[in-house]
Amino acid sequence: MRCAITQLILVQMLLIGCAAQPVAVVTDTRSTPDAIPAASAGSYDTNPYLQGRQPVPVDAEHRFAQAQVLLEKEDWQGALQELQALADSYPRLSGISLDLALVYRQLGDAEQAGPWFQRSITDNPGNIGAYNEYGIFLREQGQFAEAEAIYLLALARWEASADTHRNIGILYDLYLGDPQKALQH
């Protein structure tokens, strides 16, 4: 039965145009360390991360790109050092906070990862990728109700987020045993 429900969810996602990506991958989080001001929820079809973008110092962009190279090489310690230095220099850029959270998660340090996820959302409530990654982190920690709450906050910010619908659907189906709610997403 669970396999059939999972297949229905997959078919539904394909029909609405969702890209087939691994559950833990969110594609809109690493393009820039750019922070945007908190704003009301965006329109249905406009990612709030792309609204009201503020210029980012060239130095921050350059150093962030260097950190991305380290992340791609899976040089977690090098990336951690570069990102921490960036966070010290540019404390309000949510992409930096999010990447720090992801590195700490990769290193198995949940105690450090959690606050960085929270900070990335606080610094930029429009960073839907941060909500999704935080929800995945919470799910991995067995904090299913908290993960659901984060996904619902993301959907309140941007109802059209395919990544969020996929992630909350998986949470409902595989972790909370609620196939009816899963099918809604």
Side-chain angles (χ1 to χ4, degrees), residues 17-176:
C18 293
Q21 298 177 5
V23 174
V25 175
V26 178
T27 58
D28 61 283
T29 61
R30 294 194 179 187
S31 59
T32 177
D34 191 3
I36 61 171
S40 61
S43 70
Y44 181 81
D45 60 351
T46 304
N47 183 339
Y49 188 74
L50 302 176
Q51 296 175 353
R53 294 175 69 99
Q54 301 296 313
V56 174
V58 173
D59 176 62
E61 286 185 9
H62 176 71
R63 291 171 57 194
F64 190 74
Q66 290 175 330
Q68 297 307 302
V69 170
L70 295 170
L71 290 170
E72 289 171 15
K73 292 180 180 179
E74 298 183 3
D75 179 357
W76 308 122
Q77 291 301 323
L80 182 63
Q81 289 176 348
E82 183 64 34
L83 290 166
Q84 187 60 61
L86 267 167
D88 292 343
S89 298
Y90 303 98
R92 304 296 295 177
L93 297 179
S94 70
I96 297 166
S97 301
L98 177 58
D99 279 352
L100 274 165
L102 295 171
V103 169
Y104 279 118
R105 181 173 79 188
Q106 189 68 35
L107 293 172
D109 191 343
E111 192 172 306
Q112 288 291 324
W116 283 107
F117 279 118
Q118 292 169 353
R119 181 171 164 180
S120 67
I121 291 169
T122 300
D123 287 346
N124 183 352
N127 188 340
I128 301 303
Y131 289 90
N132 279 299
E133 290 291 352
Y134 189 32
I136 291 166
F137 169 77
L138 291 168
R139 186 195 74 213
E140 292 170 346
Q141 301 300 309
Q143 298 176 16
F144 303 136
E146 293 85 349
E148 177 187 28
I150 289 297
Y151 292 139
L152 292 173
L153 285 173
L155 289 172
R157 294 289 291 160
W158 188 32
E159 186 180 349
S161 171
D163 288 331
T164 309
H165 282 288
R166 180 187 64 237
N167 288 334
I168 198 168
I170 290 167
L171 178 72
Y172 285 141
D173 185 32
L174 300 179
Y175 297 91
L176 296 176

